[in-house]
Amino acid sequence: QQTIAYEGVPVGTIKRHITGKGNAGKEAVIAAVTALGFSPADDNEADALAILLWALENRFGEPASLSPILAAAKKFHQTLMSS
């Protein structure tokens, strides 16, 4: 039997990482994710992308803006949006 690692991350931590403000609103998160080249369909998708970007930088040790994983994530996201 396999397990999947779980880690709780406070919402304010994710918001601060993506926008610079821990109490940022939904529109600020959407704007920050959009500025990085994504096109989130809604605030839920923007939140998911913000979590991904936080994890890339904080768990894989690379700045998300330089990560080849980020480029792959953008391509995957664009593929999903076009289908």
Side-chain angles (χ1 to χ4, degrees), residues 4-25:
I4 298 173
Y6 170 83
E7 177 180 353
V9 180
V11 173
T13 299
I14 301 299
K15 289 182 176 189
R16 186 171 35 261
H17 177 77
I18 198 71
T19 69
K21 287 182 66 179
N23 63 348

Side-chain angles (χ1 to χ4, degrees), residues 7-74:
E7 177 180 353
V9 180
V11 173
T13 299
I14 301 299
K15 289 182 176 189
R16 186 171 35 261
H17 177 77
I18 198 71
T19 69
K21 287 182 66 179
N23 63 348
K26 293 178 184 195
E27 294 302 320
V29 174
I30 292 170
V33 170
T34 300
L36 291 173
F38 292 97
S39 301
D42 58 26
D43 61 298
N44 295 312
E45 193 170 302
D47 289 345
L49 290 164
I51 292 167
L52 170 66
L53 298 171
W54 177 89
L56 287 173
E57 188 164 333
N58 290 279
R59 294 299 173 253
F60 294 99
E62 295 183 45
S65 61
L66 303 176
S67 175
I69 298 170
L70 178 60
K74 285 182 186 178

